[in-house]
Amino acid sequence: MSSMIRLEAVSKRYPARKDSAAVTALSETDLTIDRGEIFGVIGRSGAGKSTLIRLINLLERPSSGRVEVDGVDLTALDASRLRAARRQIGMIFQHFNLLSSRTVFDNVALPLELAGLSRAEIKSKVQPLLELVGLADKSGRYPAELSGGQKQRVGIARALATEPKVLLCDEATSALDPETTRSILALLGDINEKLGITIVLITHEMQVIKQICHRVAVLDAGAVVELASVESVFTRPRAPITRSLLSAATGDDVPPHLRARLSQHPIGGDTLLRLRFSGPHAESPVISRLTKAQGIEVSILHGQVDVVRHASFGTLIVALPVAGDALAAAIRFLESENVVVEPLGYLPASLRAAG
């Protein structure tokens, strides 16, 4: 598959101001996004997500490095050619950015008016877009008369008006309730499938990544710390920040009353492990086989099975009353069963039944 977007050694630095030091928002980043894929970028606030997405259409110009979209080096273009190139890159925003004095139709028509199309040409393009996003009956309404989800659908239609090859989504669902978020993500997936458009989606929510994306880059302090398929990130996360984001999203974090008592050193009680299963292993009796093979009484404190991109994955938090060689043998057995094992710490024996 050919690339649609390529960032080569891209950095963005903001100079020092009188009341603050210089800031490096993105550092020496290499990134390739394939043509037609839905690519997610996730990280906590301040990780550099919004800077990255604004570098793709040069709303932020990189301090160094090269940004290429559909084979064109945007950083080498003059102002006129950059404006033309940006017509191939649509963008939707967290807070919709609609013009309150214009109807739904006229909000979607705005980029076409700016491009100099006739009213007949505009109508021939806007009406099918309103049908695509499910707002054909809202053409004459104003933004104040719409729900948040409807406003975002207008924003999506407007972003598609110039028939872009790339759609950038900057926290496009973070102002919406969960049910509306799911419907907007489903719409974006439908648009990707019907139009073959490349979508780059910035978010701080792993549930958004899980629902729609093919691959995901995890940002931390201005650097890409993990880049893989969504299935791989959910079932075999490598970076600590990825594991932390996953725990918050999947509910597989250690219960607070146990977390407060965890020690990093054996204290004569139980070892706490987080186990991650994927594919057919998510539903196999691995814990039962461990008990039979090692003679270990395992306490399950928390667990669930979920689905990401049609593949099952599961997580368990378990307590094992072993340490040292016996613990090492148990971990080797679990890993031989294709389980990803993450030691979390040690619990006093008195807390074993508390989970």
Side-chain angles (χ1 to χ4, degrees):
M1 186 178 292
S2 63
S3 66
M4 174 59 76
I5 298 166
R6 189 185 300 275
L7 274 61
E8 297 178 358
V10 170
S11 295
K12 179 61 181 181
R13 294 176 290 274
Y14 295 97
R17 297 182 180 179
K18 184 164 59 174
D19 56 347
S20 63
V23 173
T24 298
L26 205 66
S27 179
E28 293 293 319
T29 297
D30 294 311
L31 192 63
T32 298
I33 298 173
D34 293 334
R35 191 177 302 272
E37 81 170 319
I38 304 178
F39 188 90
V41 180
I42 192 167
R44 293 199 176 111
S45 296
K49 305 185 301 296
S50 291
T51 298
L52 188 151
I53 202 170
R54 291 168 66 85
L55 284 165
I56 292 174
N57 59 5
L58 256 60
L59 289 178
E60 295 280 1
R61 185 167 284 274
S63 304
S64 59
R66 186 170 179 267
V67 178
E68 183 181 292
V69 176
D70 197 21
V72 177
D73 180 3
L74 300 188
T75 54
L77 300 181
D78 59 28
S80 175
R81 289 191 295 163
L82 179 57
R83 281 194 300 273
R86 281 184 179 143
R87 295 193 190 105
Q88 297 300 305
I89 307 172
M91 191 165 187
I92 59 175
F93 306 89
Q94 177 180 357
H95 297 296
F96 321 127
N97 291 6
L98 303 181
L99 296 176
S100 60
S101 61
R102 294 176 70 102
T103 65
V104 165
F105 183 100
D106 289 336
N107 265 283
V108 177
L110 181 60
L112 301 175
E113 293 175 10
L114 296 175
L117 272 67
S118 70
R119 195 65 182 173
E121 291 173 314
I122 289 172
K123 185 175 181 180
S124 71
K125 290 179 177 292
V126 171
Q127 205 57 45
L129 286 172
L130 293 178
E131 292 172 5
L132 177 65
V133 301
L135 292 179
D137 61 336
K138 300 289 190 294
S139 178
R141 299 290 183 90
Y142 288 87
E145 302 174 84
L146 304 178
S147 68
Q150 289 169 335
K151 290 176 184 176
Q152 193 57 283
R153 287 170 183 267
V154 177
I156 293 170
R158 180 183 58 190
L160 296 175
T162 57
E163 301 179 11
K165 297 177 180 178
V166 174
L167 180 61
L168 306 179
C169 308
D170 190 3
E171 297 280 8
T173 61
S174 60
L176 305 174
D177 63 77
E179 183 178 353
T180 305
T181 291
R182 286 190 291 272
S183 72
I184 292 297
L185 293 177
L187 173 62
L188 290 173
D190 188 50
I191 288 168
N192 169 258
E193 187 174 325
K194 288 179 177 176
L195 305 182
I197 192 169
T198 304
I199 296 177
V200 183
L201 194 149
I202 301 294
T203 183
H204 61 276
E205 299 175 274
M206 272 292 187
Q207 292 291 354
V208 170
I209 296 293
K210 184 181 79 170
Q211 181 176 336
I212 192 174
C213 296
H214 303 132
R215 288 193 300 147
V216 59
V218 182
L219 277 187
D220 190 31
V224 175
V225 297
E226 191 153 356
L227 172 61
S229 70
V230 171
E231 297 94 324
S232 177
V233 165
F234 268 78
T235 58
R236 296 181 177 274
R238 298 192 311 273
I241 180 64
T242 310
R243 292 194 290 269
S244 176
L245 290 166
L246 275 173
S247 294
T250 60
D252 67 358
D253 206 357
V254 182
H257 69 286
L258 295 180
R259 192 187 314 120
R261 299 293 301 275
L262 277 175
S263 167
Q264 294 306 304
H265 305 284
I267 49 180
D270 292 351
T271 303
L272 217 63
L273 302 176
R274 180 186 284 117
L275 312 180
R276 299 188 189 275
F277 309 77
S278 59
H281 308 290
E283 299 172 7
S284 64
V286 174
I287 299 302
S288 175
R289 288 203 290 269
L290 172 64
T291 298
K292 290 177 181 178
Q294 305 283 331
I296 297 172
E297 185 181 345
V298 180
S299 293
I300 297 175
L301 306 182
H302 180 77
Q304 68 175 32
V305 175
D306 207 340
V307 176
V308 57
R309 298 199 62 78
H310 312 298
S312 295
F313 76 97
T315 57
L316 287 179
I317 294 178
V318 300
L320 277 63
V322 294
D325 291 343
L327 174 62
I331 291 176
R332 283 196 300 273
F333 175 87
L334 290 166
E335 290 177 339
S336 74
E337 296 278 337
N338 293 296
V339 177
V340 178
V341 182
E342 182 185 350
L344 298 175
Y346 301 90
L347 284 173
S350 61
L351 283 180
R352 183 165 196 196

